[in-house]
Amino acid sequence: MHSSPLLLEEPIRMASILEPSKPSFFPAMTKIVGTLGPNSRSVETITRCLDAGMSVARFDFSWGDSEYHQETLENLRAAIKTSQKLCAVMLDTAGPELQVVNKTDRPITLEAGTLLVLTPDQDKEATSNLLPVNYSGLSKAVKKGDTIFIGKYLFTGSETTSVWLEVSEVNGDDVTCLIKNDATLSGSLYTLHVSQIRIDLPTLTDKDKEVIRTWGVQNKIDFLALYTRHAEDVRHAREFISKFENLKQTHIFAKIENIEGLKHFNEILSEADGIIVSRGNLGIDLPPEKVFLFQKAAIFKCNMAGKPVVVTRVVDSMTNNLRPTRAEATDVANAVLDGSDAILLGAETLIGLYPVETISTVGKICAEAEKVYNQDLYFKKTVKYVGEPMSHLESIASSAVRAAVKVKASVIICFTSSGRAARLLAKYRPTMPVISVVIPQLKTNQLRWTFTGAFQARQSLIVRGLFPMLADPRHPTEFNAGTNESILKIALDHGKAFGVIKPHDRVVVCQKVGDSSVVKIIELED
């Protein structure tokens, strides 16, 4: 997993491009979030997805019921046992999603240049010139000239399955639109998006709350993905999930999908545990030439805050094809070079024909981009941004990463209970993997005693460069002393077994001894 001395700022030897990539236990430092669904829910397929590099499984509740997703989750748990690979669970809420309802299930053909009426009367039948919608306030939210997009997988960019409309007239509750392109809508539900218009619906709908309090609580979800327009949305969601004991440690990832979320990005970032740059929706709210600017700015802010950032919509063409386009392959690499922690695959793994190959291909592209990531430049930029005086933990983390790079350590081993120390190490983007040894803590609510640690271990699976290992909870008193060499030996053996630590390697260790934080460099023998 060593980063090559080659940097993008230097001339690239053409011969180096032709050198075959070396296989590694970690497909890449950048993590992959896979959406599980019709084409990726069998135990066999999920096992292959985990082996290919998926570390977070996303369950998208904008479609499918709880029973369907529960069956998929049980298959994921079986696959985790089979593959011996840890995987976190993300519940993605539908949010205030506007939808067109087609009760007939018949495909609807729309012809460019003709008129189409959108009506809130859901009793009416969907036809080529009338579509019922699930939002009665649409006519009050739009005006003549506004843009509306409709499609089943709306943001794939495929003009045959999504339609672009322009509002030509508002008449009572109905909205008449001019159809701008030929399209065929198939299925019973299509998403509707109005560009740059505020939809006056709550962020957490009643349906979302029901899913969280049942499916989410039952399965102790690691991440909640939340459609977010203001910091208040995150605070409201955190207040709601904090009512449930099983969700008190759940991390909230804010999905930035529109102009409103972009305008309030700084406040949202300070409240959320992580950010999802939802480029499909943003690509409709923003002019296409502005999307890359927001991506770079958002990722930079997340990196400097030390909070994980996830980028979506990278290899849409792999939904139906075995290889990405050249532009998509470059896009994945640029997301890594910008500083992304993870790549989120949606339709590519949900309904795609090649879910395993997609994960594998994205992992390979990420690994190649990481080889030329300019860690030195990034490190200096981050230290300058943080400024002085640094906090105690920040100083230790930056010093440990600098030492690991200088001595060309093969890994950094970090002992942590909350996961914060490991995330701070990852903030400085070391060129080598960080094995995060999570030390379980014994806690009680006066009714029963429990060990914490599993949440913290899984939640590091979305952070670039972090690879968790949960320590044995049977000897907590030894762990509290922070000096237990046997745990270090287990961590070293773990690294050796996976081929990231070899004889004579140097390893940097971060741990607490008493009230002090210690960074030490170990040179291994045969």
Side-chain angles (χ1 to χ4, degrees):
M1 289 301 293
H2 281 311
S3 190
S4 153
L6 172 72
L7 302 174
L8 279 187
E9 283 70 17
E10 302 169 1
I12 293 178
R13 292 182 302 107
M14 288 300 162
S16 71
I17 296 171
L18 301 176
E19 291 171 3
S21 304
K22 293 176 182 175
S24 166
F25 171 72
F26 304 128
M29 305 275 267
T30 307
K31 304 303 176 65
I32 297 174
V33 181
T35 305
L36 300 186
N39 279 6
S40 55
R41 67 189 302 255
S42 69
V43 176
E44 182 195 357
T45 302
I46 298 173
T47 302
R48 291 172 62 214
C49 286
L50 293 171
D51 288 335
M54 180 180 78
S55 62
V56 179
R58 171 176 171 255
F59 293 81
D60 183 1
F61 274 82
S62 61
W63 67 276
D65 57 23
S66 293
E67 186 179 337
Y68 181 90
H69 288 301
Q70 189 62 40
E71 286 176 10
T72 308
L73 180 54
E74 296 304 330
N75 288 347
L76 170 65
R77 287 169 175 157
I80 289 170
K81 285 183 181 177
T82 302
S83 65
Q84 295 293 294
K85 299 272 174 70
L86 204 58
C87 186
V89 172
M90 174 182 284
L91 189 167
D92 199 333
T93 54
E97 195 166 73
L98 306 190
Q99 292 178 326
V100 174
V101 182
N102 175 17
K103 291 179 180 176
T104 67
D105 265 2
R106 287 194 299 269
I108 294 171
T109 302
L110 303 175
E111 187 180 334
T114 61
L115 294 178
L116 174 71
V117 175
L118 303 177
T119 177
D121 187 350
Q122 294 183 49
D123 290 331
K124 291 186 176 177
E125 186 176 312
T127 66
S128 294
N129 46 35
L130 185 139
L131 295 178
V133 299
N134 68 346
Y135 180 49
S136 59
L138 184 64
S139 62
K140 297 179 182 66
V142 299
K143 62 184 185 303
K144 186 175 180 178
D146 280 348
T147 300
I148 297 176
F149 290 86
I150 296 174
K152 186 175 183 185
Y153 301 105
L154 177 59
F155 309 112
T156 60
S158 172
E159 286 309 312
T160 58
T161 59
S162 56
V163 66
W164 173 22
L165 308 173
E166 184 181 296
V167 176
S168 57
E169 185 185 0
V170 177
N171 185 11
D173 288 339
D174 293 347
V175 177
T176 304
C177 304
L178 177 67
I179 300 172
K180 305 286 279 187
N181 66 287
D182 293 334
T184 299
L185 306 179
S186 60
S188 57
L189 285 175
Y190 327 117
T191 308
L192 181 149
H193 182 91
V194 186
S195 187
Q196 299 194 24
I197 295 296
R198 175 175 172 80
I199 300 301
D200 192 21
L201 289 170
T203 293
L204 270 185
T205 64
D206 290 341
K207 179 189 171 187
D208 291 335
K209 289 180 177 178
E210 181 61 25
V211 165
I212 292 168
R213 77 164 62 93
T214 54
W215 196 89
V217 170
Q218 176 188 342
N219 295 300
K220 300 181 181 180
I221 55 167
D222 302 296
F223 304 109
L224 177 70
L226 182 76
Y227 169 83
T228 307
R229 294 169 285 193
H230 300 270
E232 185 57 38
D233 295 337
V234 181
R235 286 193 287 269
H236 172 68
R238 203 177 298 283
E239 183 184 339
F240 177 72
I241 68 172
S242 66
K243 297 173 184 174
F244 309 104
E245 188 64 35
N246 282 357
L247 301 183
K248 285 188 174 174
Q249 297 178 78
T250 297
H251 281 182
I252 296 175
F253 272 58
K255 291 188 289 182
I256 308 299
E257 306 193 1
N258 57 22
I259 294 285
E260 221 172 338
L262 186 154
K263 286 177 180 174
H264 301 102
F265 185 82
N266 290 347
E267 304 90 69
I268 291 169
L269 177 59
S270 66
E271 286 291 335
D273 298 301
I275 295 289
I276 296 174
V277 181
S278 191
R279 299 191 313 172
N281 305 43
L282 275 167
I284 285 177
D285 245 28
L286 280 174
E289 67 273 18
K290 298 287 188 183
V291 176
F292 85 96
L293 282 173
F294 175 67
Q295 173 175 318
K296 288 180 180 291
I299 291 174
F300 175 78
K301 287 175 182 286
C302 291
N303 287 170
M304 294 304 107
K307 291 188 177 182
V309 55
V310 182
V311 171
T312 70
R313 311 305 316 213
V314 289
V315 286
D316 285 334
S317 70
M318 287 197 77
T319 305
N320 298 309
N321 299 293
L322 200 47
R323 284 167 64 92
T325 66
R326 272 69 67 198
E328 288 173 332
T330 304
D331 187 29
V332 173
N334 279 326
V336 174
L337 296 173
D338 285 346
S340 298
D341 284 86
I343 302 292
L344 189 153
L345 301 172
E348 303 97 319
T349 55
L350 177 80
I351 57 163
L353 303 178
Y354 308 102
V356 178
E357 291 82 357
T358 302
I359 292 167
S360 177
T361 299
V362 169
K364 287 174 184 174
I365 298 169
C366 291
E368 287 298 316
E370 288 158 10
K371 289 178 186 175
V372 294
Y373 185 73
N374 195 334
Q375 194 274 342
D376 186 56
L377 182 67
Y378 173 85
F379 185 91
K380 289 173 181 172
K381 189 166 61 176
T382 310
V383 168
K384 184 179 178 182
Y385 183 91
V386 171
E388 294 178 354
M390 276 187 173
S391 70
H392 175 75
L393 264 179
E394 193 103 36
S395 174
I396 291 291
S398 59
S399 299
V401 172
R402 173 52 84 199
V405 170
K406 289 289 185 188
V407 304
K408 291 185 166 53
S410 55
V411 296
I412 300 173
I413 294 176
C414 174
F415 292 81
T416 181
S417 54
S418 67
R420 188 176 165 217
R423 285 194 298 274
L424 268 180
L425 285 167
K427 174 181 175 177
Y428 288 90
R429 292 290 186 255
T431 54
M432 65 290 297
V434 177
I435 296 179
S436 169
V437 183
V438 180
I439 310 295
Q441 289 185 319
L442 191 61
K443 290 193 173 181
T444 180
N445 61 2
Q446 296 184 331
L447 293 175
R448 63 192 178 108
W449 290 87
T450 54
F451 282 108
T452 67
F455 264 106
Q456 290 78 1
R458 290 192 302 268
Q459 283 165 345
S460 64
L461 290 166
I462 206 166
V463 181
R464 180 157 154 181
L466 279 195
F467 299 91
M469 182 185 132
L470 192 59
D472 191 330
R474 285 176 293 185
H475 311 290
T477 50
E478 294 177 5
F479 296 159
N480 291 342
T483 55
N484 193 323
E485 291 299 314
S486 66
I487 310 175
L488 176 57
K489 184 180 183 304
I490 292 168
L492 290 170
D493 290 342
H494 184 68
K496 289 172 186 172
F498 293 132
V500 293
I501 302 175
K502 297 180 288 300
H504 306 294
D505 274 358
R506 289 170 177 165
V507 174
V508 169
V509 180
C510 283
Q511 64 185 136
K512 287 199 85 170
V513 177
D515 293 329
S516 304
S517 297
V518 175
V519 176
K520 60 183 179 182
I521 301 167
I522 299 171
E523 190 149 353
L524 300 177
E525 298 174 355
D526 289 339

